[in-house]
Each structure stands twice: as structure tokens, then as C-alpha cells.
């Protein structure tokens, strides 16, 4: 990386909140997140020199586009600040982060605001589900189903079963771990949800099949939510922390960004004979490691990864190299990914437990990683964490972004 990029502060909304029930909408979510991030960073709005917004489905869910200008609409102190919006399905706010970093690395701006936001609870669940199909190749995925994404990631689970063998007990355990972690997170959507032991089995009543290969508890929870973070150059961060009287803020040490075609079956077919089911996901992770100057997962103290479904996290485990390809089950069985394990995954609860407001998820992961490496994660803090990795994907791994965050 040509220029250090620091995280001066951030804010996550309560992912259990349904804003439309309060007569509010995506605009209010943006205002709440921006003001929360500025307060956390101890910065006046006048210090923000550029704004990047990540959002996937604003037009479909609320009929609202042009979200770059929505920031100044809700926070008038940002009137006149250049802003733009980015879309990459579930990786939308990761793309916003990458664009903000590029501006800082280029020397164009020194203090940049990133906002990830999504409103998904204002419409009936079936409607929101159909709207999210826009992240697939419309009419060309060749997947017969009612719900596209549970079916698509059920196919990924089936692919693992065909290539390596897959025991559903390990997917059920991933769900159980993430819901358990979420109970310690005061902003997680599912923190107060209650389950029975059979909820994490293949019980057709307590954990029914949604689509082939995917049961209810396998699914990440779409929700409303926003997350904002303030990024800064080395010089700006040094001056800001001098004024605040605290230590060096966390830093984005490395990043990776890769893309692949939309259609899931094309990606699966292309990787036959390869070591990894999604080679480009592995490349993105390795790119982040290379830029951060680390050689592998042993350097990390934890991971916030995309678990839109348990199969996604199962895939992430071997793509991060915690196990050889196809042997992710080992890290589930030996407890490595649990709190107190050798490399905890999703201490926040992840998308399954914390919630998945699509356009906010990438920023939320980076924000949580920053909290972890500065000891600010509260009841879900990983002990002595100094280096965290993230993996955020859009669609069926069409867009992939990975970051390494360090203190």
C-alpha cells in the first residue's frame, strides 16, 4: 500500500431495529450512522473532505436512488462535500471503502467518510427476497427455486459434498456458534432470539428446509442497518489523535478485490480440477495478506467473514487456509473458530447472528475488526486481538473484497 489508511472511528446502528415501524426510512438510517461515526471519531463534520456510500437495493426497496446526496440532505454540515454511491450487491460498502482508500492513497483527500446502508424490512419478506435476486443473472441462473439465494448456496453446499464430502452437522454447528456469539453483541439483530437444541439439527419442524441444501438456521438474516466509518491519512490521523489525546488508531494494512461472472454455475464449472471451489476468493484473501505483509492465517487473531449462509462460512474456512481445501469441518470440530479458539470467526455473530443489511455489511465487518484490534468490542472481544481479517462477497462470489485490519 502506497499510503497508510487509518480508521478514526465508526458507528453501527442497532440491526434489530425496523425503521419503517417508527415512520422512518433509509434516509434516517444514513443520518444516524454519519452522526454516530463523527461522534466516535471526535471530529466535526467540517473535517470530512469526501463521502462514499455503499448500497445495493435502495431503488427496489424504497424507490430511492442518488444516495450520495442523501448524506448532505440528512447532515447539512456536509453540504458541498463531494459524494458518490457504489453498488456491488452484498459487497457494496467494501467497494465504498476501496474507493475512499484510493482517494487517500492518491493524496486527493485526507479524511473520507464511508457509509454502508440498506433498508430491507419495509417490504414483505417475499418481496425483499425477490428484489435481492437482482444480484444474480436475471432469468439465466438455471436454478429452479422459489428463493434464489438459499437455492444458490444450497448448490455450493452440494458442490462441497460432491467434491469432498459434506456432513450437515458441521453447517448446523456453524449456525449455532454464530447465533451464540450474537447474544453477546448489543447491536445484533438476533441477540434476544431463543432456540431449542433441535434448532441446530436437521429436524424438519425446528429447522425446516428452505431450498435444497439450505435449512432455516443456515440463512443469514436480512435486516435494516447502517454502518459508517471515518478513514484518514497518516498525517491527518496523527493530528486527530493528538487533539483527542489517545494512541495510534487502527489501520487498514492490506486489501484484496476480485470479481468473477454473475452466474453461479459458470464459476463452479470453471473451478473443476482447481484446489479451491472459488479460486478468485482465495486470490483476494492472498492479495490482502501480501499488502499487509503477512503470509497466512496464523498471523490473524480472528476473522469477520461473510456467512450469508452456513455454506458460505464453510467455504471461507478453507479459502482462508485454516484447513486444507475441502476439510473445513476440521476447524468446526476442533473448536478453532469458536470464541477462545485459535482463530475465532464472526465474534460479532456474523450475518447469521448479527444480521445482514446488505449494503452495510462490508463496512460493518471492517468496523467490527477495528473494534477488536483496539480492545473496544465489549462482551464479544477476542482476547489480545491485534490483527483481524475480513471477507465480504457480493452475489454468488461475483464481487469479493478482503481486508486486514491491525492496531
Amino acid at each position: 500500500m502506497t499510503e497508510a489508511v487509518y480508521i478514526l472511528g465508526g458507528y453501527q446502528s442497532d440491526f434489530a431495529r425496523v425503521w419503517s415501524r417508527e415512520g422512518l426510512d433509509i434516509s434516517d438510517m444514513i443520518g444516524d450512522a454519519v452522526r454516530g461515526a463523527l461522534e466516535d471519531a471526535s471530529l466535526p463534520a467540517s473535517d470530512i473532505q469526501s463521502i462514499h456510500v455503499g448500497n445495493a437495493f435502495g431503488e427496489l426497496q424504497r424507490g430511492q436512488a442518488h444516495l450520495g446526496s442523501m448524506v448532505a440532505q440528512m447532515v447539512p454540515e456536509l453540504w458541498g462535500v463531494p459524494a458518490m454511491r457504489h453498488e456491488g450487491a452484498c459487497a457494496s460498502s467494501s467497494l465504498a471503502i476501496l474507493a475512499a482508500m484510493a482517494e487517500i492513497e492518491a493524496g486527493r483527500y485526507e479524511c473520507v467518510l464511508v457509509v454502508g446502508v440498506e433498508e430491507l424490512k419495509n417490504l414483505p419478506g417475499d418481496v425483499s427476497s425477490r428484489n435481492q435476486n437482482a444480484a444474480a443473472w436475471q432469468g439465466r441462473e438455471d436454478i429452479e427455486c422459489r428463493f434464489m439465494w438459499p437455492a444458490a448456496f444450497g448448490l455450493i453446499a452440494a458442490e462441497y459434498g460432491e467434491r469432498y464430502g459434506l456432513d450437515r452437522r458441521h453447517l448446523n454447528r456453524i449456525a449455532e456458534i454464530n447465533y451464540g456469539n450474537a447474544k453477546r453483541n448489543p447491536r445484533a439483530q438476533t441477540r434476544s432470539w431463543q432456540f431449542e437444541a433441535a434448532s441446530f439439527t436437521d429436524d424438519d419442524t425446528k429447522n425446516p428446509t428452505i431450498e435444497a441444501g439450505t435449512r432455516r438456521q443456515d440463512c443469514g438474516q436480512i435486516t435494516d442497518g447502517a454502518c459508517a466509518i471515518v478513514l484518514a491519512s497518516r498525517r491527518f490521523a496523527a493530528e486527530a489523535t493528538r487533539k483527542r489525546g489517545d494512541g495510534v488508531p487502527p489501520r487498514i494494512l492490506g486489501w484484496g478485490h476480485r470479481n468473477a461472472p454473475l452466474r453461479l454455475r459458470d464459476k463452479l464449472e470453471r473451478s473443476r480440477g482447481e484446489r479451491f471451489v472459488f479460486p478468485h476468493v482465495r486470490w483476494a484473501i492472498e492479495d490482502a495478506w501480501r499488502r499487509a505483509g503477512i503470509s497466512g492465517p496464523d498471523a490473524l487473531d480472528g476473522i469477520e467473514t461473510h456467512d450469508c449462509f452456513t455454506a458460505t462460512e464453510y467455504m471461507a474456512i478453507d479459502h482462508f487456509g485454516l484447513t486444507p481445501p475441502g476439510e473445513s469441518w476440521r476447524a468446526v470440530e476442533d473448536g478453532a473458530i469458536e470464541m477462545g479458539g485459535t482463530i475465532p470467526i464472526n465474534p460479532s455473530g456474523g450475518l447469521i447472528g448479527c444480521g445482514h443489511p446488505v449494503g452495510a455489511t462490508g463496512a460493518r465487518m471492517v468496523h467490527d475488526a477495528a473494534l477488536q484490534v483496539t480492545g473496544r468490542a465489549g462482551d464479544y472481544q477476542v482476547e489480545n486481538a491485534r490483527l483481524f481479517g475480513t471477507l465480504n462477497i457480493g452475489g454468488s462470489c461475483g464481487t469479493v473484497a478482503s481486508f486486514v485490519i491491525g492496531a
Side-chain angles (χ1 to χ4, degrees), residues 9 70 98 181 192 255 328 347:
M70 185 62 78
L98 289 168
N181 289 347
S192 61
W255 59 271
S328 298

Side-chain angles (χ1 to χ4, degrees), residues 374-394:
T374 52
R376 298 177 61 208
D379 290 342
Y380 62 100
Q381 177 69 49
V382 173
E383 188 175 359
N384 298 320
R386 302 297 293 172
L387 208 63
F388 247 70
T390 75
L391 175 64
N392 183 205
I393 71 170

Side-chain angles (χ1 to χ4, degrees), residues 326-348:
E327 298 182 21
S328 298
W329 59 270
R330 295 184 182 276
V332 179
E333 285 201 351
D334 67 15
I337 64 173
E338 299 178 31
M339 293 294 283
T342 55
I343 185 162
I345 290 183
N346 291 339
S348 69

Side-chain angles (χ1 to χ4, degrees), residues 123-394:
L123 297 177
D126 281 8
V127 177
S128 291
S129 178
R130 287 196 299 271
N131 287 343
Q132 292 170 72
N133 292 349
W137 195 10
Q138 291 297 284
R140 305 191 189 188
E141 289 284 352
D142 190 27
I143 301 175
E144 291 293 330
C145 61
R146 179 182 178 190
F147 299 110
M148 171 59 67
W149 295 113
F153 284 87
L155 282 178
I156 293 173
E159 188 73 17
Y160 265 87
E162 179 181 328
R163 295 191 191 191
Y164 312 108
L166 178 67
D167 188 334
R168 272 204 49 85
R169 289 180 305 157
H170 300 118
L171 300 185
N172 289 330
R173 180 58 184 152
I174 286 171
E176 187 174 22
I177 291 168
N178 289 342
Y179 278 118
N181 289 347
K183 290 186 178 300
R184 294 186 288 270
N185 183 347
R187 294 188 180 272
Q189 181 191 17
T190 71
R191 60 187 183 268
S192 61
W193 290 18
Q194 300 297 316
F195 297 95
E196 302 175 26
S199 299
F200 301 106
T201 69
D202 284 356
D203 185 291
D204 289 334
T205 300
K206 301 297 183 182
N207 192 19
T209 296
I210 305 301
E211 294 285 353
T214 301
R215 290 179 178 266
R216 178 189 290 160
Q217 264 66 262
D218 290 316
C219 302
Q221 303 300 322
I222 66 165
T223 190
D224 294 346
C227 183
I229 57 176
V230 180
L231 303 182
S233 68
R234 183 190 302 273
R235 189 207 67 79
F236 190 99
E239 179 63 18
T241 52
R242 183 189 66 78
K243 291 178 180 177
R244 296 191 314 200
D246 56 16
V248 178
R251 174 181 166 188
I252 300 177
L253 298 172
W255 59 271
H257 173 206
R258 298 279 183 154
N259 275 67
L262 282 169
R263 190 171 184 264
L264 173 59
R265 291 188 185 277
D266 292 341
K267 292 189 280 283
L268 296 179
E269 184 60 35
R270 185 181 177 92
S271 72
R272 299 202 187 281
E274 300 278 353
R275 290 188 66 231
F276 294 97
V277 174
F278 295 105
H280 68 291
V281 173
R282 174 67 177 183
W283 300 339
I285 293 168
E286 289 179 326
D287 288 345
W289 291 346
R290 174 175 51 81
R291 291 183 172 106
I294 65 175
S295 58
D298 289 347
L300 300 174
D301 298 305
I303 292 169
E304 282 289 331
T305 195
H306 209 89
D307 59 323
C308 52
F309 297 90
T310 56
T312 327
E313 182 171 329
Y314 194 86
M315 176 272 292
I317 290 171
D318 67 12
H319 284 58
F320 265 102
L322 275 61
T323 71
E327 298 182 21
S328 298
W329 59 270
R330 295 184 182 276
V332 179
E333 285 201 351
D334 67 15
I337 64 173
E338 299 178 31
M339 293 294 283
T342 55
I343 185 162
I345 290 183
N346 291 339
S348 69
L351 285 65
I352 287 173
C354 183
H356 184 29
V358 172
T361 286
R364 195 278 303 162
M365 289 179 176
V366 169
H367 174 56
D368 260 318
L371 293 178
Q372 288 287 350
V373 301
T374 52
R376 298 177 61 208
D379 290 342
Y380 62 100
Q381 177 69 49
V382 173
E383 188 175 359
N384 298 320
R386 302 297 293 172
L387 208 63
F388 247 70
T390 75
L391 175 64
N392 183 205
I393 71 170

